[in-house]
Amino acid sequence: SSSSSSSSSSSSSGGGGGGGEVRPEDPHASATLTPIEAGEARRDFDLLLGMCTHALAAAAERRPADGSPPDARDDEAAACTLALPQLLSEAYLQPDVLPPGSFELLLSLLARLGEASPHPQMRDAVAAVAAHLAPRLGGYAAPPPTGDLVPPLGRSPADAARLVAAAQQLCAAPALRAIPALRAPASLCQPPPPQPLPVAELRPLALAVEAIATLPDSLPAGAALPYLPTAFTVVLRVTHAVATSPPVADPPGAAAAAALREACLISVATLRRRCAAPADADERLEEASSGLAVAKATLRTSAAASALEVLQATPVASRGLMLRAVLALVEGLPLGGGATAVHTGVAAAAREMVASETQGEAHAALLAFLAAIKEQPDLLHFYLTELLPDVAASFKTGCDRLGAIKLLLLACTLSSAEAAPALFSLTLPLLIHGMSVAADGPPSKVGAELSAVAHAALTALASRSADAFRASVANFSTETRSRMEVAIREEQAKKQRAVAASPGAAVTAAKPKIALKMDFGSFSAKA
């Protein structure tokens, strides 16, 4: 707190008597500052928040150019912003303590600074405040605990909607600064062009996508729905921007970019869960009767369709992150209606990646996706049918043969008994092709790892479904059957040599759990 000293009546003019010009003291001079004495908590909260709001308003009125050094007012505003997360604890984020009008003013000032401040430290601090406030706005969105026909001042539904909109604007401020296309509503109907992100914007953007995704979680289900489309748009556009940005060379920037990529995926999953049906049966019935269930399903399908458009507009070489985001969105989207077209488009985009140099990223994303939808048999069968033939076709010439084997093995593990024969006939020949034999020469490190995985997978699949295994082997060509026999014999001989090379070690060779018949003469040969 600053106040004038008792000596403010002194005058200045040449000699001492009086009559000269009276110069007011500088309110920022150290001689005029008096310490703040601790008092009643509510009064101190009002005092400190008022000081912070005043400092933020003064900084928001300035329009310095980017790169200009901060002055004393900027430093004061930055210090106040850094203190806000401690000051705005949940105990004080209540309409009876911090009136909605005052809170809305504070949010708007922070949004202006987060979007327009030329100082990265200030923008970082504002983004941190937004991330702190986003999950703590429930008290302002809930109806007031009163039976009066007229709600208290600032507590009407319109007041709550205006305050939440200001909070969402604050959360989106870093994205609006980094991606100017978000300002033009017309541009949201078109997929964005690739746009590199400045390194200085990466940390605020990570905080922004997390904040804008967690904001609806603090609101009642019905009240949150109007804010979800904007949240989806911002998160997907930021995801696209970081996916298409060139790699960052310096370690701190690379770490910030990796954190932003992870924040985008977490935020997409958070928003998807907000659109999902509740686990409780009574809550599901209530949503169905109120129409909220239909609205959420429509929004979920629309968000997935928008994400697919962005994915399709992304160059194949940069699709890895976008594919993971889109798969996270369609994870809980049942087949049927408009959702079928979305799933078909997602599968087609994934197939393009499987056949490209981004095959490894596609395999990794699909591995996680198939594991996530294992309890949805219809959806699982759809994607296995759409994807596995292309995964198998690109195995021999692909750059990620090990990932392809893992994906096919997972598919065989998750498939139903009815689908096992078809999947085994697709997978087993590739496993045998991936096994190293002496005639091929010494394997590379990757080839040796692939061979080890193929041997383990062959044994696992024989154990899982012996009938499907035998049926598939019966249809092997002579070349494939011969390669399998040689590979298994050489692998057994290698293990015996390893045991023999350990003199004195009490090692007892365990009998294999699966006895593979080495004489395949009884099976019908396939030319």
Side-chain angles (χ1 to χ4, degrees):
S1 170
S2 61
S3 60
S4 297
S5 169
S6 59
S7 61
S8 61
S9 60
S10 62
S11 61
S12 73
S13 82
E21 176 186 359
V22 178
R23 292 185 296 188
E25 293 187 0
D26 180 2
H28 292 278
S30 59
T32 66
L33 298 179
T34 58
I36 297 176
E37 296 181 0
E40 190 268 328
R42 172 69 182 274
R43 187 195 67 186
D44 285 351
F45 171 79
D46 292 341
L47 172 64
L48 292 171
L49 188 63
M51 292 172 57
C52 290
T53 304
H54 177 76
L56 293 174
E61 289 301 319
R62 300 182 64 237
R63 291 290 185 271
D66 283 4
S68 60
D71 63 9
R73 285 172 292 182
D74 295 317
D75 292 338
E76 184 178 2
C80 290
T81 305
L82 290 171
L84 283 177
Q86 290 180 296
L87 184 61
L88 296 174
S89 64
E90 293 187 9
Y92 294 102
L93 281 177
Q94 303 295 332
D96 295 336
V97 179
L98 176 57
S102 301
F103 192 21
E104 185 181 344
L105 172 62
L106 178 64
L107 293 173
S108 63
L109 291 174
L110 287 168
R112 289 170 60 186
L113 288 170
E115 188 176 342
S117 174
H119 310 305
Q121 296 83 356
M122 184 66 187
R123 299 198 299 272
D124 285 1
V126 171
V129 174
H132 169 78
L133 294 176
R136 296 176 171 85
L137 298 179
Y140 289 88
T146 176
D148 298 340
L149 295 178
V150 180
L153 183 64
R155 300 296 307 279
S156 70
D159 294 323
R162 191 169 56 248
L163 187 142
V164 175
Q168 191 173 57
Q169 182 80 10
L170 168 61
C171 295
L176 292 171
R177 176 183 175 87
I179 309 174
L182 284 170
R183 301 174 185 273
S187 69
L188 301 182
C189 301
Q190 300 295 328
Q195 179 178 0
L197 294 175
V199 175
E201 307 295 343
L202 297 179
R203 183 175 181 275
L205 281 173
L207 292 170
V209 295
E210 289 184 355
I212 205 165
T214 55
L215 173 61
D217 277 345
S218 68
L219 309 177
L225 203 61
Y227 304 98
L228 290 174
T230 298
F232 271 119
T233 299
V234 171
V235 171
L236 290 174
R237 290 304 172 86
V238 173
T239 304
H240 174 268
V242 69
T244 55
S245 289
V248 182
D250 65 290
L260 175 55
R261 294 167 72 92
E262 189 63 26
C264 289
L265 295 176
I266 293 173
S267 300
V268 169
T270 299
L271 292 172
R272 184 204 71 222
R273 287 193 298 270
R274 201 69 177 90
C275 293
D280 183 74
D282 292 337
E283 293 181 4
R284 288 198 303 271
L285 181 60
E286 182 180 353
E287 287 195 357
S289 60
S290 66
L292 183 58
V294 175
K296 290 169 68 172
T298 302
L299 175 59
R300 189 165 64 243
T301 303
S302 299
S306 298
L308 174 61
E309 290 181 5
V310 177
L311 174 65
Q312 292 169 333
T314 304
V316 175
S318 303
R319 279 185 181 176
L321 181 65
M322 278 306 307
L323 178 64
R324 292 172 66 189
V326 174
L327 289 175
L329 269 180
V330 302
E331 180 182 310
L333 194 63
L335 288 168
T340 300
V342 174
H343 286 297
T344 302
V346 172
R351 287 197 300 270
E352 291 181 7
M353 288 187 64
V354 166
S356 73
E357 68 275 7
T358 60
Q359 184 183 83
E361 290 183 276
H363 288 161
L366 293 172
L367 274 170
F369 176 64
L370 293 180
I373 63 172
K374 62 182 180 181
E375 303 298 335
Q376 305 175 58
D378 291 343
L379 197 60
L380 178 64
H381 180 266
F382 173 85
Y383 276 96
L384 292 180
T385 304
E386 290 284 325
L387 297 172
L388 292 189
D390 291 82
V391 173
S394 61
F395 173 77
K396 293 184 179 181
T397 58
C399 56
D400 184 38
R401 299 168 70 196
L402 182 59
I405 288 295
K406 292 179 179 179
L407 188 59
L408 289 166
L409 180 60
L410 177 65
C412 291
T413 304
L414 298 178
S415 66
S416 62
E418 294 78 11
L423 287 174
F424 276 46
S425 64
L426 186 69
T427 303
L428 291 182
L430 299 181
L431 291 178
I432 294 165
H433 184 82
M435 294 177 177
S436 299
V437 295
D440 296 338
S444 64
K445 182 178 179 180
V446 175
E449 183 181 3
L450 175 64
S451 181
V453 171
H455 277 283
L458 190 73
T459 303
L461 292 180
S463 174
R464 183 182 185 276
S465 180
D467 291 340
F469 184 88
R470 293 191 190 97
S472 178
V473 170
N475 291 316
F476 279 177
S477 66
T478 302
E479 179 185 357
T480 301
R481 188 165 56 251
S482 174
R483 183 180 180 88
M484 183 174 81
E485 294 177 8
V486 172
I488 291 175
R489 288 194 182 101
E490 290 182 355
E491 182 70 11
Q492 289 175 343
K494 183 172 69 173
K495 290 180 179 179
Q496 291 172 356
R497 289 193 299 270
V499 172
S502 304
V507 178
T508 302
K511 294 183 179 180
K513 295 181 179 179
I514 304 301
L516 296 178
K517 184 176 180 180
M518 302 306 298
D519 179 11
F520 294 96
S522 60
F523 294 115
S524 58
K526 182 178 180 181

